[in-house]
Amino acid sequence: MPDKDAGTPRVFLVRHGETEWTISGRYTGRSDIPLTKNGEEQVSSSAKVIVGSGKIIDPSRIARFFISPRTRARRTYELLFDTSAQKELEEKVVITEDIREWEYGAYEGLLTAQIRAARKERGLDQDEPWNIWESGCEEGESPAEVAARLDRIISKIREIQSPYMHGEEAVDVVLIGHGHILRAFTKRWLGFELSVKLPMMLEPGAVGVLSYEHHKVDEPAFLLGVNMGGSE
């Protein structure tokens, strides 16, 4: 069966590698926690399989990078692309706060169980446990604030990709960010409010893929399976 969507631009979601706080499950927003040795190995292992000429993420096909300013995200970029590739890609890289992790505010460094227990002690969430997708974070960001900044990036991506929906030019985009924000991005890409229940997992150092159906920019889609042979 022929691939009716061959050549359609893609958006690659790259989560940074493991950190010490990733291991413990602590909420890591603005805290600039470096990758662990294992985290660096996670990213390097992914790079060997999916990054390179003719592979899923082909540097020659990338039109733009949007990268979180946090050290763990920037280091992930350095591990994915060798020095020579970075020099060629330099003008395509945008370091932006719009793809930083969710601002956790008073919940920074805490575990989900700690947050829920503390809120319940104060008389909050008596009927249902705290859910970041619905309630956001005290002294941090609300779902609406997160959605607004992600929508700005989505608008920029669609401006880049919409003229080339049949592959007339290579305009793939790579986002390098964090667990919560990349899942939030996926919801907004598909047109869902952040409160919509859409269980997703994205392991440290892993890659997710978004695209479009029927070569139409107004039909964004989650690319459930990717041919490991590359984009051609």
Side-chain angles (χ1 to χ4, degrees):
M1 178 175 163
D3 182 359
K4 68 182 184 304
D5 293 319
T8 309
R10 296 176 175 181
V11 178
F12 298 100
L13 311 180
V14 182
R15 184 181 177 186
H16 64 75
E18 173 193 273
T19 71
E20 290 294 343
W21 283 19
T22 304
I23 297 170
S24 63
R26 296 167 71 181
Y27 281 65
T28 318
R30 283 194 170 269
S31 298
D32 222 358
I33 311 298
L35 300 183
T36 61
K37 181 180 179 181
N38 184 57
E40 297 210 349
E41 291 175 352
Q42 288 171 335
V43 178
S44 296
S45 295
S46 291
K48 291 175 184 177
V49 176
I50 64 174
V51 177
S53 178
K55 295 183 179 179
I56 294 172
I57 300 180
D58 187 332
S60 69
R61 300 186 62 81
I62 299 172
R64 195 70 46 85
F65 290 87
F66 294 101
I67 304 175
S68 164
R70 303 290 87 80
T71 298
R72 55 196 184 274
R74 299 176 74 154
R75 178 58 178 157
T76 294
Y77 169 73
E78 293 171 356
L79 292 167
L80 284 174
F81 300 92
D82 61 31
T83 303
S84 60
Q86 289 179 41
K87 289 180 180 179
E88 294 179 3
L89 297 168
E90 186 175 4
E91 294 183 356
K92 300 178 180 181
V93 173
V94 178
I95 307 295
T96 173
E97 292 282 348
D98 279 347
I99 200 63
R100 71 184 186 275
E101 183 56 294
W102 200 304
E103 291 283 356
Y104 297 128
Y107 305 156
E108 183 80 7
L110 300 180
L111 305 175
T112 299
Q114 293 174 322
I115 297 169
R116 288 177 172 173
R119 287 175 62 94
K120 199 161 189 178
E121 285 179 3
R122 293 163 45 219
L124 302 173
D125 315 319
Q126 297 300 305
D127 296 326
E128 294 184 0
W130 169 78
N131 181 336
I132 192 172
W133 304 105
E134 296 178 355
S135 301
C137 300
E138 294 178 282
E139 301 175 24
E141 284 183 300
S142 68
E145 289 170 324
V146 170
R149 60 180 168 94
L150 293 178
D151 287 351
R152 288 197 293 266
I153 294 182
I154 290 171
S155 178
K156 291 174 184 177
I157 291 173
R158 293 189 177 152
E159 183 177 344
I160 292 167
Q161 295 182 333
S162 61
Y164 311 109
M165 297 304 291
H166 291 266
E168 297 89 343
E169 288 192 19
V171 287
D172 287 344
V173 171
V174 176
L175 273 61
I176 303 180
H178 314 267
H180 261 130
I181 208 64
L182 293 177
R183 284 178 284 161
F185 182 92
T186 300
K187 288 186 178 184
R188 294 306 300 151
W189 181 264
L190 298 174
F192 297 147
E193 296 297 323
L194 296 192
S195 59
V196 170
K197 186 175 182 180
L198 187 64
M200 292 177 284
M201 297 174 66
L202 185 61
E203 297 178 346
V207 179
V209 190
L210 302 173
S211 188
Y212 309 86
E213 286 192 287
H214 310 120
H215 302 281
K216 294 183 178 180
V217 74
D218 59 352
E219 294 187 25
F222 178 39
L223 194 52
L224 188 60
V226 179
N227 187 326
M228 297 300 287
S231 55
E232 296 301 325

